[in-house]
Amino acid sequence: MDYSHKSIEQKWQKFWAENGTFKTAESTEKPKYYVLDMFPYPSGAGLHVGHPLGYIASDIFSRYKRLKGFNVLHPMGYDSFGLPAEQYAIQTGQHPAITTETNINRYREQLDNIGFSYDWSREVRTSDPSYYKWTQWIFMQLFNAWYNKETDKAESIETLIAKFETAGSQNINAESDEDVLTFTAEEWKAFSEEEQQRELLKYRLAYLRESTVNWCAALGTVLANDEVINGVSERGGYPVEQKKMMQWSMRITAYADRLLRGLDTIDWPEPLIEMQRNWIGKSVGASVKFSVPQLDTNIEVFTTRVDTIFGVSFIVLAPEHELVSALTTDAQKAEIEFYIDKTSKKSELDRMADTKTVSGAFTGSYAKHPITGEDVQIWIADYVLAGYGTGAVMAVPSGDQRDYVFAKHFNLPIIPISDSQNIEDEADPNKGGKYINSGFINGMTYQEAVPALIAKLEELKLGKAKINFRMRDAIFGRQRYWGEPVPVYFKNGLPYLIKEEELPLLLPEVDKYLPTETGEPPLGRAENWKYQDQYEYELSTMPGWAGSSWYWFRYMDPKNAESFASKEATNYWKAVDLYIGGSEHATGHLLYSRFWNKFLKDLGFHNEEEPFKKLINQGMIQGRSNFVYRVLDEEGRGTNKFVSLGLRDQYNTIPLHVDVNIVSNDILDTEKFKSFRPDFADAEFVLEDGKYICGTEVEKMSKSKFNVVNPDDIIANFGADTLRLYEMFLGPLEQSKPWNTNGIEGVYKFLRKVWRLFHDAEGNFNVSDEEPTKAEYKALHKIIKKVEDDIERFSFNTSVSAFMICVNELTDLKCNKRKILQDLIVVLEPYAPHITEELWELLGNEAGTISYAVYPKFNPEYLVESEFAYPVSVNGKMKMNLPLALHLDAKAVEEIVLANLDVQRYLDGKAVKKLIFVKGKIINIVV
């Protein structure tokens, strides 16, 4: 019987599904291990060979951990709310749920075909009401919570209300909006319900406020920063503008310091940790107020260089700053409005990235310098962002390059403030030297000046020391249909939660998935959709990241109708031990997940500060494109002739992408090409040695380049085990590498060699119970040790190479010993589960039990060499090899060597002057 991958793989996939082979135990004496893949979005295109890379790695590790005696949780589900399904619904009128279900079915089929050991009984989908009920519930907890800086954690809003009722707002140390009121307990009690709710909204962790957002009119929704590329939407390429809207936000900034500190406790790739550090962006500095007498207000700035305050020659506001309109004089109004309109068409990322363009506009107004009292011009410029700091900066051209370039461009003063500065050609931010032109800090050093200035600003009540974070609160609303409804209704313009027992708040039916004619989100189209038939529901839905910010908890306890996960489940599974996914989620999903995890811990629902202990970013599998070369005529027009790669220099040609699936080892199937391109049905091919050789290039996998490889095709031709091994064989997991089908036949041949170890030349199962030889034990124990070491350090590619060497050695030894082969397939099982299941059963074991076998114990004694083939030389010239036991001493070796007949022949009767012996290396006879 030959190796038949199709029948074997179908048999075992069916067996696993019917028998629940990978169903995880709820509780066990075994130690636990939680392996998780990043939540996939089920797109209509299905999987290409690049997608399963991380899934295969996590599956290998999961299977290995089962063999090592762990109770493994290895689940899979779908992040199934999203813009693509909604866009398809807009175009076709088909409900997004139908599209999503179709896409999920396709994904599931493909995942099953690859043989993953997921516990499918725990599958979750973010768009399932039984799941998003708990996403809504978590939102309600956030709405009903505030962040107490004294205890450094979130608490119920009831504890804040209790403080207000007993002591008013005095000594409240909370994360909140800037414009909170000061009041006594009596004043709080005298507030109306509306006044109290309005004030509490300034403290809640989920709150409403006017925010500057990325508004895409064509898509009818707000977009996250990472959904905007070069000022247009990532999906569809539509224009995006900055717009102020009333939006739900999450007070993630309350957790900024904890999010930063937590990075020191987790095993994540350093580049990813650095990205999070930069995104959080902790800065130690000072808050400074520049008064604006005509408006009876202050412009507050945050600076990390308060020592440069005497070098301030102008102030710059973000174009969206709330004071811009009031500050703009009549003479400057047209210029300011034009500039604001121009800026609104740029994304924040574009504004931050563009360091070459200098632009701005003068408001016509002035502020007072907090120490000198001098007038300071107030400008607006797009290099200042409304959401970073206070949306205003004090410009010090002598110390900051952007301010320097701005000042040069608009002919504004540049004041030197240090005797060590050189500002002839650029700003000089050095902190050396002593201050000049700086009032009472003249002659001071940096270390002396900072505390003196902060003390002075505090005395004037115009500043204080402050820690600032670059990270901003997360916008939590989307003007879309296909997302979680926010469980909120409005009374007198203020938000109130629906009752917990009314969850889930289901998505209503709408006639189409577009905004209403009056500009409301699609939910505004729902007929008679009101709370208690009178109050308006929130019409925005939650963003895509809502459901993926807590999903690992639901896998722990997916059927629980009473809570998102029981305390028993969270206490047992704790955190995810291994998380594998793409680095593109560094500042989105991973940051929000850490935030929600910490929040739920604060409220006592679990005990882990961080959700993911170890994280690996898998590299990208790039496409390997193939090209044919179309011959051009003398006038540069394309002909019907195609020339093979090695001959193209003899012609004038143009390369054309060709479908990689009709190319094998870079040799084109010319008949299939004619079907692929019917316009070239009568094409002529100029061949090399009877073959058409295609050109190649490594590019991103995309349909337009015809280089997308469907795993279904690979599995049909070579099997899932081959695909799994080959994806690991391509290179280190973390590195990007090109897909190249050319080498896949070698992996397939390797599996056939494994099969043949168990079968005789006629294909009959033939395994011996004889005791293995020392060489056979050595080959086995080398692979036991190698694979264990490699998997523990996630070096999967080197294991595949070692398997090939081991099987070649056993083939050369003609090994068919049960004691060797049974342990070998247990070691191979994580990589190639189907063939090993079949061989395990053929060996007489109970079907399906290899997944819970015991990983073989490495015995180092089998690798200890007891004999060495010594090279024997006479007068330095190598004559022969002589195998000798390694335990022999020099005297014993000399006796054996000189008594050897072959050695005697080489000596030819000559007297031996000396025998040089180096143990385990050489023997040299001097005559």
Side-chain angles (χ1 to χ4, degrees), residues 484-496:
E484 299 92 339
V486 180
V488 162
Y489 66 93
F490 289 89
K491 185 168 68 174
N492 298 326
L494 285 169
Y496 290 84

Side-chain angles (χ1 to χ4, degrees), residues 247-480:
Q247 283 286 308
W248 283 102
S249 290
M250 290 281 172
R251 214 178 292 278
I252 189 174
T253 49
Y255 285 84
D257 215 34
R258 277 170 66 184
L259 287 167
L260 201 57
R261 294 197 306 266
L263 293 172
D264 296 328
T265 69
I266 49 182
D267 183 6
W268 288 17
E270 191 53 43
L272 192 150
I273 284 179
E274 196 57 31
M275 285 171 77
Q276 288 217 353
R277 282 200 186 104
N278 292 338
W279 190 265
I280 297 165
K282 185 175 182 178
S283 304
V284 179
S287 170
V288 182
K289 294 176 181 176
F290 288 74
S291 67
V292 185
Q294 67 268 34
L295 298 181
D296 191 26
T297 189
N298 296 307
I299 294 173
E300 187 175 349
V301 303
F302 172 80
T303 177
T304 58
R305 292 293 305 273
V306 70
D307 60 299
T308 66
I309 197 165
F310 286 98
V312 174
S313 58
F314 56 101
I315 288 174
V316 187
L317 305 182
E320 306 87 356
H321 194 285
E322 59 188 6
L323 292 178
V324 171
S325 178
L327 288 167
T328 302
T329 62
D330 290 342
Q332 296 299 115
K333 189 174 182 181
E335 185 181 353
I336 290 287
E337 287 180 350
F338 174 79
Y339 189 78
I340 290 173
D341 181 64
K342 187 171 78 169
T343 303
S344 73
K345 294 177 172 60
K346 293 182 183 179
S347 72
E348 287 191 357
L349 291 174
D350 292 336
R351 285 162 63 176
M352 286 188 288
D354 185 5
T355 57
K356 295 179 181 177
T357 306
V358 182
S359 68
F362 178 43
T363 64
S365 292
Y366 297 81
K368 294 291 182 185
H369 192 286
I371 296 178
T372 68
E374 295 175 1
D375 284 342
V376 180
Q377 290 187 15
I378 304 171
W379 288 66
I380 66 170
D382 64 6
Y383 74 86
V384 180
L385 303 176
Y388 178 57
T390 63
V393 299
M394 58 179 221
V396 184
S398 61
D400 181 274
Q401 186 60 23
R402 274 209 156 177
D403 296 343
Y404 183 92
V405 172
F406 193 92
K408 283 281 190 185
H409 185 83
F410 291 106
N411 199 28
L412 297 166
I414 300 175
I415 306 165
I417 52 169
S418 169
D419 60 11
S420 67
Q421 272 185 325
N422 176 11
I423 57 173
E424 192 173 323
D425 299 313
E426 60 184 2
D428 184 352
N430 87 78
K431 298 176 182 177
K434 296 185 177 179
Y435 293 94
I436 59 172
N437 301 322
S438 296
F440 72 93
I441 65 166
N442 276 342
M444 289 187 184
T445 63
Y446 172 80
Q447 287 76 14
E448 296 165 334
V450 170
L453 280 165
I454 288 175
K456 183 68 173 177
L457 289 165
E458 288 177 347
E459 177 193 324
L460 296 169
K461 293 186 167 48
L462 289 172
K464 60 182 179 181
K466 186 178 180 183
I467 292 173
N468 199 43
F469 292 92
R470 178 180 179 273
M471 182 172 65
R472 286 153 284 166
D473 283 345
I475 304 293
F476 196 70
R478 297 290 185 269
Q479 289 63 49
R480 301 175 184 163

Side-chain angles (χ1 to χ4, degrees), residues 510-652:
V510 293
D511 58 341
K512 48 186 173 180
Y513 308 99
L514 291 166
T516 67
E517 284 65 28
T518 53
E520 293 173 319
L523 293 189
R525 294 182 170 277
E527 289 186 24
N528 305 316
W529 194 55
K530 291 188 176 182
Y531 184 66
Q532 296 178 348
D533 296 324
Q534 58 178 320
Y535 300 115
E536 297 291 339
Y537 279 118
E538 170 60 62
L539 298 182
S540 293
T541 51
M542 297 186 196
W545 55 267
S548 62
S549 292
W550 69 278
Y551 74 109
W552 63 96
F553 286 118
R554 194 60 177 169
Y555 284 138
M556 298 177 187
D557 196 8
K559 303 294 190 292
N560 195 325
E562 306 303 319
S563 68
F564 69 92
S566 71
K567 199 68 188 292
E568 292 77 17
T570 59
N571 282 344
Y572 177 71
W573 290 110
K574 302 185 189 301
V576 173
D577 296 286
L578 174 64
Y579 198 27
I580 297 182
S583 59
E584 66 273 16
H585 300 291
T587 54
H589 158 64
L590 290 171
L591 206 56
Y592 300 139
S593 295
R594 295 179 63 221
F595 161 40
W596 279 30
N597 185 87
K598 291 175 192 295
F599 169 72
L600 290 169
K601 181 198 175 205
D602 288 353
L603 268 57
F605 295 110
H606 70 99
N607 301 316
E608 298 296 314
E609 181 72 7
E610 290 290 336
F612 316 121
K613 289 182 182 177
K614 181 173 182 63
L615 187 146
I616 296 176
N617 293 138
Q618 85 272 14
M620 182 187 295
I621 289 187
Q622 299 159 306
R624 186 177 184 274
S625 300
N626 280 120
F627 297 90
V628 293
Y629 299 94
R630 188 181 188 187
V631 176
L632 302 178
D633 63 18
E634 293 177 356
E635 293 167 3
R637 293 174 304 200
T639 68
N640 234 15
K641 181 185 286 189
F642 294 86
V643 61
S644 186
L645 175 68
L647 304 173
R648 66 182 177 134
D649 291 344
Q650 301 171 24
Y651 299 83
N652 182 19

Side-chain angles (χ1 to χ4, degrees), residues 712-726:
D712 298 356
D713 296 334
I714 299 295
I715 290 167
N717 292 326
F718 300 102
D721 286 341
T722 298
L723 175 70
R724 292 167 64 101
L725 282 160
Y726 189 61

Side-chain angles (χ1 to χ4, degrees), residues 31-35 61 65 70-73 573 577-578 794:
K32 72 93 187 181
Y33 204 90
Y34 188 172
V35 183
F61 202 82
K65 280 294 185 181
F70 286 82
N71 183 31
V72 176
L73 176 56
W573 290 110
D577 296 286
L578 174 64
F794 308 99

